[in-house]
Amino acid sequence: FCVAPPPMAAAPLYCVCRQPYDFNRFMIECDICKDWFHGSCVQVVEHHAADIDVYHCPNCEPIHGPSMMKKRNNWHRHDYTEPNDGTRPVQAGTAVFVQELQTRSFASGDEILVPMHGSQVTQCYLEREGFHYPIVVHDLDGLGLKLPPPLFSVSDVEHYVGANKVIDVIDVARQADSKLKLGEFVKYYYQPERSKVLNLISLEFSDTKMSNLVEVPEIARKMSWVENYWPDDSFFPKPFVQKYCLMGMKNSYTDFHIDFGGTSVWYHVLWGEKIFYLIKPTKANLALYESWSSSPNQSEIFFGDKVDKCYKCVVKQGTTIFLPTGWIHAVLTSQDSMAFGGNFLHNLNIGMQLRCYEMERRLKTPDLFKFPYFEAICWYVANNLLETLKELREDNCQPQGYLVDGVKALISSLKTWLRREVRECFEVPDNIRPSRLIKALTKEIRYLEDESNKAGKSQGSAEWPLARSSLEKGYQAQRAARRKLPSNLDVLELHTLEVLKRLEVGPLEEVKRPTSPSTADAIQGMLSMAGLLCQQASAGGDILQQHWWSSQGNSNSNSSSDTWDSSEPCSAPRSPEGEDGSLGEEYSYRESSLSPPLHPSKRHAPNPTPISNQATKGKRPKKGQATTKQRLGKIMKMSRHKGLFL
């Protein structure tokens, strides 16, 4: 026989609406009847419930009177009911804290901000220069950023997003989160007197009509991992973190934090003003930040006092700021403001992004405040970067350094996550084989390292002989300078002087005298020895001597001193029968005692020490130093004066 299942117990009903419990709706318990009521049914909003000491529901209120509110005893503690005895320090976000913050002095943000024009903020620029310091842009032109007009109001946001949109707001004085409908927030925002400071910083509107009014900056779109690597057929829902609307009331304060997953951030202040307190993400500062974040008295310590420098940056209406990966920052809203912003992961700082994510895990950050499916997108990125490295290797191109470093950091994190698979929920996409992917990435990195080592060795072996060769050339030049070998021109000049000494016959005569054969042979010999005599064959087969000065009038002749530094004689083709042994005749210096002494008025100044042609080749003469051409002209002038040439 069959036994019928017992009837299911009916779900308990609550509130005046007699509906079952709904964890998505705020409820409050009556301290008299112990029944639970939806806040929206009894006109109690969540952030006001914190001020109620004893709650009386609508059924109990006629009998027991209205609810009793908490009594405020201080303005500097999150729990304002604590006694104000001066023993407890000021906590972040309270009215006293905000007043003190505005009187503090900080390093100027101009020390770290990089002011740029919108058209300059490109992927090429950031890949070349790096993205390590905040960038500020004062004009929308060139950013590719589309926004509503400055008159766009909080009511307009409600119109485009919907009044029933449930949002998370921050009660600034208590630094506590609470849920609220957007319509309720807008209603409270327009109240003439506000008992609380509420800050709305997490309204992501990509799935609303307002999304059509906003276009993310071009640089964020081009570099975003989600936009570039997230597949359309992914099992995991696509993260939407690129379009946020931030509406803050005056004196709203967000304490120091790093944006989830180490994402980079873009902010644009549509109207109002925001003040950023920025801290560099150095190793020391990140260690201090992690320690501060995990301390039980975190709200009582101003983190800016724990680091070497905290920079103050005022972002006015119409200004856009880009914060790089890992920058620690707090934000004060100095006046009612509306801003738009977004977060994006990218390839430039992969290592820092992973470090921030691991810090979030150690700090046990709630999932609500973490980048959605961070590990999943890292697997997608790793799979795409593997293809990129393969293509670069096939094209024989070296990947950029930041990409190689990023892949190395990614491999390390993927291995760690893979070891956690058994113990924790894993975010590996179905179409990715994790072990094979890690192995392939490791192989590509090893190949790059091997090629780099080979290039380093070959470069080092090439540089050492080159350096040694340069030293040897230097030593040779020094030895040549020490020997001071005479050039052909020096030999010609000295030989000419010797000939003139032998032919000295008295005062200079301005008459042309025929040259004796022996003298002509001597002249031909010394010109041939100096490489300054060109030979031409006459029609009759005789060799005609063409002297160097016969071409002086030719306007096409090369006047450079390099022409005269050549050691090769200029020779024209000649017939074998016309060769003369006179050109090969060698001359040696005579003893000066064998030549008649010169008249004192005709004695020449001593010649300068000869220098090797190799030492002066290709160089211009120093000031006051005669060129080769000038020296030859001087020699021939002396020879003409003595009647040696016709």
Side-chain angles (χ1 to χ4, degrees):
F1 60 95
C2 297
V3 178
M8 295 183 62
L13 303 178
Y14 301 97
C15 189
V16 294
C17 63
R18 309 316 295 169
Q19 295 292 325
Y21 173 73
D22 184 356
F23 68 91
N24 289 319
R25 298 176 65 185
F26 164 70
M27 298 187 75
I28 186 171
E29 183 187 31
C30 176
D31 290 298
I32 302 297
C33 66
K34 303 301 180 183
D35 196 3
W36 287 85
F37 298 85
H38 297 116
S40 58
C41 292
V42 294
Q43 288 76 48
V44 177
V45 293
E46 185 175 352
H47 67 89
H48 280 158
D51 299 324
I52 300 175
D53 190 17
V54 179
Y55 175 67
H56 295 166
C57 70
N59 298 327
C60 299
E61 183 176 352
I63 303 172
H64 299 278
S67 301
M68 299 175 63
M69 307 302 290
K70 292 179 180 178
K71 182 180 179 180
R72 176 176 291 278
N73 294 322
N74 67 76
W75 294 90
H76 70 286
R77 301 290 297 176
H78 291 166
D79 183 1
Y80 57 80
T81 63
E82 293 180 1
N84 188 13
D85 56 7
T87 60
R88 308 300 298 274
V90 176
Q91 289 183 299
T94 60
V96 175
F97 171 86
V98 172
Q99 290 175 358
E100 293 180 351
L101 179 62
Q102 291 173 331
T103 61
R104 285 174 174 265
S105 59
F106 297 90
S108 173
D110 295 337
E111 297 181 25
I112 54 169
L113 291 178
V114 181
M116 298 181 67
H117 187 270
S119 60
Q120 297 173 325
V121 187
T122 62
Q123 184 173 353
C124 180
Y125 171 84
L126 295 180
E127 288 178 348
R128 184 179 69 252
E129 302 296 333
F131 185 23
H132 305 295
Y133 286 89
I135 296 173
V136 61
V137 181
H138 297 288
D139 195 349
L140 281 178
D141 293 342
L143 267 181
L145 175 60
K146 175 187 173 184
L147 292 169
L151 296 178
F152 196 74
S153 66
V154 174
S155 296
D156 293 326
V157 175
E158 179 185 10
H159 170 73
Y160 281 97
V161 175
N164 292 324
K165 173 80 172 179
V166 178
I167 57 176
D168 291 292
V169 298
I170 299 174
D171 183 345
V172 176
R174 296 190 303 116
Q175 289 292 290
D177 297 318
S178 60
K179 290 190 180 298
L180 200 65
K181 289 185 178 180
L182 180 57
E184 296 172 338
F185 173 82
V186 174
K187 181 179 179 181
Y188 180 77
Y189 183 90
Y190 284 115
Q191 286 184 2
E193 293 185 4
R194 305 166 183 158
S195 59
K196 292 178 177 292
V197 177
L198 299 183
N199 194 17
L200 173 57
I201 59 174
S202 57
L203 175 56
E204 217 290 336
F205 58 90
S206 294
D207 59 344
T208 69
K209 293 187 295 183
M210 196 167 73
S211 180
N212 299 326
L213 305 179
V214 177
E215 194 69 44
V216 174
E218 183 178 2
I219 185 64
R221 296 196 305 270
K222 285 187 174 181
M223 297 179 61
S224 169
W225 275 4
V226 174
E227 298 300 322
N228 291 290
Y229 300 131
W230 194 274
D232 295 333
D233 59 350
S234 174
F235 168 79
F236 305 101
K238 183 178 180 179
F240 289 107
V241 294
Q242 278 273 47
K243 293 182 178 181
Y244 285 97
C245 179
L246 301 89
M247 294 178 283
M249 301 178 184
K250 181 180 179 180
N251 292 336
S252 294
Y253 175 76
T254 306
D255 210 357
F256 286 98
H257 63 282
I258 297 174
D259 278 85
F260 49 34
T263 50
S264 297
V265 194
W266 67 270
Y267 286 101
H268 178 89
V269 178
L270 189 68
W271 44 264
E273 181 182 271
K274 286 186 176 288
I275 301 175
F276 285 76
Y277 301 92
L278 305 173
I279 296 174
K280 295 178 181 179
T282 63
K283 289 183 178 179
N285 289 344
L286 289 175
L288 290 171
Y289 172 78
E290 185 171 359
S291 175
W292 171 78
S293 297
S294 58
S295 63
N297 60 339
Q298 172 188 2
S299 64
E300 301 174 351
I301 302 172
F302 184 69
F303 183 68
D305 293 336
K306 297 180 68 67
V307 298
D308 292 337
K309 264 192 176 183
C310 180
Y311 302 89
K312 180 180 178 180
C313 174
V314 180
V315 182
K316 297 182 179 296
Q317 176 176 328
T319 303
T320 308
I321 186 172
F322 294 87
L323 295 185
T325 305
W327 274 72
I328 309 164
H329 59 284
V331 184
L332 173 67
T333 304
S334 54
Q335 52 186 275
D336 288 355
S337 302
M338 179 183 290
F340 289 90
N343 300 69
F344 58 101
L345 297 166
H346 52 81
N347 290 335
L348 297 182
N349 301 322
I350 296 178
M352 180 63 76
Q353 291 169 174
L354 294 168
R355 182 173 181 176
C356 293
Y357 173 73
E358 293 301 331
M359 186 189 303
E360 291 172 353
R361 288 182 53 84
R362 292 192 296 269
L363 293 173
K364 295 181 172 52
T365 304
D367 291 341
L368 178 64
F369 305 109
K370 293 165 65 175
F371 190 95
Y373 304 102
F374 180 87
E375 293 186 13
I377 196 171
C378 285
W379 287 105
Y380 287 133
V381 170
N383 194 45
N384 280 272
L385 292 184
L386 174 61
E387 299 303 318
T388 300
L389 292 178
K390 287 181 178 180
E391 292 175 1
L392 291 172
R393 174 167 53 82
E394 292 171 357
D395 295 340
N396 199 25
C397 295
Q398 185 74 15
Q400 292 168 295
Y402 72 83
L403 197 60
V404 176
D405 294 338
V407 172
K408 289 180 181 178
L410 201 54
I411 291 173
S412 177
S413 292
L414 295 180
K415 289 180 178 178
T416 301
W417 300 342
L418 198 58
R419 289 192 293 266
R420 293 201 310 252
E421 180 179 5
V422 179
R423 296 180 282 112
E424 300 182 22
C425 179
F426 208 51
E427 295 181 3
V428 179
D430 294 337
N431 61 333
I432 290 180
R433 298 182 179 180
S435 298
R436 180 175 295 183
L437 175 58
I438 293 173
K439 185 176 180 180
L441 280 173
T442 304
K443 181 180 178 181
E444 292 296 327
I445 293 299
R446 286 177 179 172
Y447 171 80
L448 290 171
E449 291 176 343
D450 292 342
E451 291 298 312
S452 178
N453 292 335
K454 290 178 182 178
K457 289 180 181 180
S458 62
Q459 185 177 4
S461 60
E463 287 179 357
W464 172 246
L466 179 62
R468 183 173 58 186
S469 174
S470 299
L471 289 175
E472 289 176 352
K473 289 181 179 180
Y475 293 148
Q476 291 174 359
Q478 292 176 6
R479 288 194 295 267
R482 283 197 297 268
R483 287 197 301 267
K484 296 182 180 180
L485 299 175
S487 64
N488 292 341
L489 185 60
D490 298 323
V491 173
L492 172 62
E493 188 172 4
L494 292 174
H495 193 79
T496 302
L497 292 174
E498 289 294 329
V499 172
L500 292 175
K501 288 179 182 178
R502 294 200 305 269
L503 299 177
E504 183 68 34
V505 289
L508 179 64
E509 299 179 4
E510 295 294 338
V511 293
K512 296 180 182 179
R513 287 182 267 180
T515 307
S516 62
S518 60
T519 302
D521 290 342
I523 295 171
Q524 291 176 359
M526 67 182 183
L527 291 176
S528 175
M529 180 167 49
L532 301 172
L533 183 66
C534 295
Q535 299 181 4
Q536 289 180 336
S538 64
D542 296 334
I543 301 299
L544 299 178
Q545 305 300 335
Q546 181 184 14
H547 306 292
W548 67 270
W549 63 87
S550 64
S551 61
Q552 290 280 335
N554 188 354
S555 61
N556 295 328
S557 62
N558 190 355
S559 60
S560 172
S561 59
D562 291 341
T563 305
W564 310 111
D565 287 335
S566 175
S567 58
E568 295 295 329
C570 54
S571 55
R574 57 183 180 177
S575 59
E577 63 269 20
E579 292 182 356
D580 197 320
S582 61
L583 294 179
E585 189 174 348
E586 295 182 358
Y587 292 87
S588 60
Y589 295 110
R590 286 178 170 268
E591 291 290 337
S592 59
S593 58
L594 299 179
S595 301
L598 289 174
H599 188 274
S601 62
K602 298 182 178 60
R603 291 176 184 170
H604 301 281
N607 293 325
T609 306
I611 303 177
S612 169
N613 280 347
Q614 294 298 325
T616 59
K617 187 173 183 179
K619 296 182 179 180
R620 292 182 177 272
K622 296 180 181 178
K623 188 175 181 180
Q625 179 181 350
T627 63
T628 303
K629 202 169 188 180
Q630 291 170 341
R631 293 179 65 188
L632 285 171
K634 179 181 177 183
I635 295 171
M636 299 314 300
K637 184 177 180 180
M638 290 188 299
S639 303
R640 285 199 198 95
H641 283 229
K642 299 304 177 183
L644 298 180
F645 300 106
L646 293 176

